[in-house]
Amino acid sequence: MHGMNSFKSIILILSLIFSGVFFMGTGLAKPESGVGTSQKWAVVNGFRSSQFGMNERDVIKAIKSDFGIAKKQISRKVHPNEKTITLGINVPRILPDSGPAKIIYLLGYKTRRLIEIKIIWGRPIMKDPNAKAVVATANQLGNYFVQKKYQKEGFAYNHQLGEDVYLVFQGKDKKGRVVRLLLTNPKSEDAKKSGENIALTLSYIEKPEDPDVYRIKDGDF
């Protein structure tokens, strides 16, 4: 019974967060001044020491500087369709009590330079994710990002996209670079395991409308 009450509490927290109850003190600025609670524009240029435009060697150095992770501990894969390179690392935590996360650094197909960074909590990083911790992390990050100013176009805060998908935050800086925070909580076949598939993905994207990925062009086929 105690377990059921815990899962009910998690679902209640989810509903409260996305109804805006947990986002206290974050009123929106006037539309003509951009969107956010601050007059200071957001600058979306990467994550920590890893900045958009870096080559693979520099990204590896940045990972070492930020997390103390050596090159041999970094996974490297080439996407079969997009022909991009992904560098992946696992970290025990990024924020207090946020739990383990996977960070993926994406290098463009033509430029071979950093174009996107993803940070993932919950499934599939953990077999049994702590749903309450994942939701708390979403709440903390949403509150953090909304403090800055963003373009009106494409801005979203606390927006439900589907039954189990929530766009906690999305904003573009002056150069059109995007930060996006997406929470998914697919239903479990076992009602007693609500929240077992929860996942939170934070993305920093340099060119969301024109990513450097492989595409078949007219005349190529």
Side-chain angles (χ1 to χ4, degrees):
M1 183 64 69
H2 177 71
M4 283 294 291
N5 290 335
S6 297
F7 285 121
K8 287 180 179 178
S9 297
I10 290 169
I11 299 304
L12 176 60
I13 290 170
L14 280 168
S15 63
L16 288 173
I17 282 177
F18 294 113
S19 65
V21 174
F22 274 56
F23 293 106
M24 303 301 291
T26 55
L28 299 181
K30 295 180 180 179
E32 61 268 25
S33 63
V35 185
T37 61
S38 170
Q39 295 304 306
K40 185 176 181 180
W41 275 93
V43 177
V44 183
N45 55 8
F47 175 63
R48 297 193 180 179
S49 300
S50 296
Q51 306 289 295
F52 293 138
M54 280 185 170
N55 60 29
E56 184 171 346
R57 182 180 62 182
D58 289 338
V59 172
I60 291 172
K61 288 181 179 179
I63 291 172
K64 175 68 173 178
S65 174
D66 289 340
F67 302 104
I69 294 176
K71 181 178 180 179
K72 63 182 180 180
Q73 297 174 287
I74 301 172
S75 67
R76 186 184 189 276
K77 298 179 181 178
V78 177
H79 194 283
N81 298 327
E82 298 180 349
K83 310 303 181 186
T84 51
I85 294 173
T86 58
L87 304 176
I89 60 171
N90 294 300
V91 295
R93 73 169 190 171
I94 295 178
L95 296 172
D97 302 318
S98 62
K102 186 175 186 66
I103 307 177
I104 298 171
Y105 302 82
L106 188 68
L107 305 175
Y109 161 61
K110 291 182 178 179
T111 64
R112 288 298 189 252
R113 292 185 178 272
L114 187 63
I115 62 171
E116 183 175 347
I117 302 165
K118 288 183 183 291
I119 306 171
I120 306 168
W121 292 268
R123 272 293 184 89
I125 311 308
M126 297 181 66
K127 183 178 179 181
D128 298 306
N130 182 333
K132 187 174 181 179
V134 173
V135 169
T137 300
N139 185 37
Q140 292 164 358
L141 289 171
N143 281 333
Y144 169 74
F145 290 125
V146 82
Q147 298 304 315
K148 296 293 179 66
K149 182 178 176 182
Y150 301 86
Q151 293 186 37
K152 287 172 58 180
E153 180 185 2
F155 181 84
Y157 181 48
N158 182 24
H159 183 67
Q160 186 168 355
L161 299 179
E163 183 178 0
D164 306 313
V165 183
Y166 303 88
L167 186 56
V168 181
F169 183 86
Q170 179 173 279
K172 288 183 181 180
D173 70 2
K174 282 185 175 181
K175 294 184 177 182
R177 300 171 299 192
V178 166
V179 55
R180 179 182 299 143
L181 185 62
L182 192 70
L183 180 66
T184 59
N185 187 31
K187 291 181 179 178
S188 173
E189 294 181 359
D190 186 346
K192 296 181 180 180
K193 295 184 178 181
S194 298
E196 70 171 354
N197 296 316
I198 195 167
L200 178 66
T201 302
L202 171 60
S203 301
Y204 297 96
I205 309 170
E206 182 183 25
K207 297 179 180 179
E209 297 173 2
D210 186 27
D212 180 13
V213 299
Y214 172 74
R215 296 188 182 95
I216 298 177
K217 299 179 181 179
D218 288 342
D220 288 348
F221 182 74

